[in-house]
Amino acid sequence: MTETPPRATGEVALVGGGPGAPELLTLAAVTALREADVVLYDRLAPPVLAEFAPQAEHVDVGKRPGHHQLSQSGIEALLITQAQAGRKVVRLKGGDPFVFGRGGEEARACRDAGVTVRVIPGVTSAIAVPAAVGIPLTHREVSRMFTVVSGHAPLTAAELDHLAGLARTGGTLVILMGVLHLAQICQGLAAAGLPPGTPVAIIEQGYSPHQRLLTTTVASIAVTAAEHAVRSPAVIVIGEVVRLADQDPAAAADLHRAADLS
Ligand code: SAH
């Protein structure tokens, strides 16, 4: 009787790469990268492949101008065919794979195709990029909730009303993918009753040498964003916690005093 050697079984790991700094990868992410045969990455994935996955094939599935861009279904098909060929596939994403990263769709596509898939959570930019400039999303006596919203499409009047209500009651709003519709979002929040003086922070390109923090108010956002030519990727924070940002020690001290923390 001849024994057939066991076929290598491939698998997919959906890996959160964190907000950009290599030190903010998890140990599990590094292990998966070191064991990978192929890594599919895109624009927001941190630049860590040369260091942690030099052995693997690297496939850019992102949206850089001039590069071939794979559709979402094309990415899912590639994950599946690579795993079915017996390879260890890493899908490296920016931040956390399940925060606006289409990770849920990719996991489901793999499972539907009978491919083993696991998820390695990452440090999300929604929390880490504000932290890079000293903004805590919650702070005792200032904010006890935060809401993360995708701004990639204009928000509806009902959504704006709901969010303005949350912010009025001390909730912090965090907007990802919001640069394009920032003015519409802020006008809508003001129309829904958010005080126009509510502080806003725009943090561009967190954890890169080009990181930039702009602080302004809901009323002045459109002017500030245009004056400083704000560009994606940026995390937008709306709420009183913005006063705690590093760049404004006086305001931060006031708020600490108000919250009886100093
Ligand atoms: N899964 C990711 C988010 C994907 S949506 C995560 O958990 O972080 C993409 C949006 O994330 C961008 O439009 C931007 O709003 C935000 N983003 C991701 N990385 C960023 C960074 N380094 N600096 C600023 N914004 C970032």
Side-chain angles (χ1 to χ4, degrees), residues 88-237:
K88 285 196 187 331
V89 186
V90 164
R91 172 74 172 109
L92 183 66
K93 291 169 167 294
D96 182 275
F98 279 178
V99 178
F100 305 136
R102 306 193 74 167
E105 292 163 56
E106 292 172 14
R108 174 185 258 178
C110 290
R111 281 191 202 107
D112 286 352
V115 166
T116 305
V117 57
R118 64 200 171 102
V119 178
I120 299 180
V123 174
T124 180
S125 66
I127 298 173
V129 170
V133 297
I135 300 176
L137 299 187
T138 68
H139 195 81
R140 198 164 62 88
E141 312 264 320
V142 178
S143 165
R144 60 172 186 167
M145 61 180 122
F146 61 87
T147 305
V148 183
V149 188
S150 160
H152 88 280
L155 296 178
T156 65
E159 286 168 335
L160 289 163
D161 201 39
H162 177 66
L163 293 174
L166 285 176
R168 270 202 315 273
T169 50
T172 304
L173 304 183
V174 181
I175 304 171
L176 301 191
M177 297 182 279
V179 170
L180 197 58
H181 299 294
L182 189 54
Q184 181 262 344
I185 293 167
C186 284
Q187 277 157 16
L189 289 171
L194 187 66
T198 306
V200 178
I202 305 168
I203 311 121
E204 282 174 302
Q205 301 191 58
Y207 296 94
S208 83
H210 309 290
Q211 176 175 302
R212 177 167 73 153
L213 165 65
L214 299 168
T215 50
T216 179
T217 61
V218 165
S220 308
I221 189 82
V223 175
T224 309
E227 255 178 14
H228 296 274
V230 167
R231 289 184 35 209
S232 185
V235 173
I236 295 139
V237 184

